[in-house]
Amino acid sequence: MTGTRDVDKRRAMADPAGPVAVLCSGGLDSAVLLVEMGRLAGQAVPVMIEAGHAWEAAERAALRRFLAAIGDARIAPLRTLALPMGDVYGSHWSMTGVGGPAWDDPDETVELRGRNLVLLAKAMVLAALSGWPTLAMGSLAGNPFPDATPEFFADLAAVCSKALRAPLAIVTPFRGLHKDEVIRRGQDLPLELTLSCARPTAEGLHCGDCNKCRERVEAFRAAGVVDRTPYKADPRLRLGSG
């Protein structure tokens, strides 16, 4: 059974049928994926789920700026879906904006349990009703969370297909890539307009002091690509000039 799912997933990635929905956040990975899926499938639909997290307004603005800058007719207008999670996550830093991960904190500090489950559930219903058989996510290699494994995505797609009476696939074309590799793939794009920050400023700038900003800066350096991202506090100074 697993082998069949793997074949189906590879087929969907290589030759997606019909418009492809791309779960977007305004971040670098999903922005590059959106453009690639538009080029591959002929039409990609960016879908953003708004759960009430503190960074979402900045992410939405970043994604709109990115879409306006690339002006690709193969990318459909942004679809936004409301799925408030404040009653579940409560006073968690991701909802209040207070606290949050510091520069040296590990990935585990940014985990939101069930996040992919929640986001995908609503997006898959929209995909089924809209006739989009493929939903793409920008999940990368090394993602340590249980709702980001190939098995999870295959199992959820199978359940959603059965529940919604529609053939649906969740594909993760970047699953074998690290962020620096994604940056090299998208270096012709205005990546500085994307947002990868846990604590963006009110003006929508990267804070330059959280572990997501550190990950971004290190990835640009590893990719050998100039980082034109505007930061409130320049995190590149932390890494030195080497």
Side-chain angles (χ1 to χ4, degrees), residues 3-163:
T4 300
R5 290 175 182 171
D6 289 343
V7 169
D8 289 343
K9 186 175 78 169
R10 287 194 295 270
R11 184 181 299 119
M13 289 168 56
D15 186 20
V20 176
V22 180
L23 202 56
C24 291
S25 65
L28 189 154
D29 309 319
S30 60
V32 175
L33 177 63
L34 176 64
V35 173
E36 289 200 5
M37 295 309 291
R39 292 170 178 172
L40 181 63
Q43 185 177 19
V45 185
V47 178
M48 175 176 277
I49 311 294
E50 298 183 340
H53 296 296
W55 56 75
E56 286 178 354
E59 282 188 335
R60 183 173 60 252
L63 180 56
R64 290 190 182 281
R65 287 193 297 269
F66 179 83
L67 293 174
I70 60 174
D72 192 331
R74 294 167 293 190
I75 298 177
L78 174 65
R79 294 289 303 269
T80 58
L81 305 178
L83 189 58
M85 292 293 290
D87 53 351
V88 174
Y89 291 132
S91 60
H92 190 268
W93 66 266
S94 68
M95 308 303 295
T96 65
V98 178
W103 177 266
D104 291 320
D105 284 345
D107 286 341
E108 288 71 19
T109 59
V110 297
E111 181 182 12
L112 290 169
R113 291 179 64 186
R115 178 165 171 77
N116 281 348
L117 175 63
V118 169
L119 301 185
L120 284 166
K122 190 158 189 176
M124 292 293 270
V125 175
L126 175 64
L129 296 178
S130 302
W132 307 330
T134 305
L135 191 149
M137 286 190 69
S139 184
L140 302 183
N143 189 315
F145 305 128
D147 61 350
T149 65
E151 294 77 17
F152 169 79
F153 293 129
D155 289 343
L156 183 60
V159 169
C160 289
S161 295
K162 183 175 182 179

Side-chain angles (χ1 to χ4, degrees), residues 145-224:
F145 305 128
D147 61 350
T149 65
E151 294 77 17
F152 169 79
F153 293 129
D155 289 343
L156 183 60
V159 169
C160 289
S161 295
K162 183 175 182 179
L164 295 164
R165 300 191 302 276
L168 297 167
I170 299 171
V171 299
T172 54
F174 292 170
R175 178 67 190 179
L177 303 178
H178 294 279
K179 190 175 289 288
D180 60 306
E181 296 172 292
V182 175
I183 289 172
R184 282 193 290 270
R185 290 170 73 113
Q187 61 185 300
D188 62 320
L189 303 173
L191 299 180
E192 68 275 9
L193 299 181
T194 64
L195 182 73
S196 309
C197 179
R199 298 198 305 266
T201 69
E203 297 76 27
L205 296 178
H206 286 75
C207 72
D209 195 41
C210 69
N211 61 355
K212 300 302 291 183
C213 283
R214 186 200 76 231
E215 177 185 70
R216 183 182 179 102
V217 172
E218 290 177 343
F220 269 100
R221 175 166 292 194

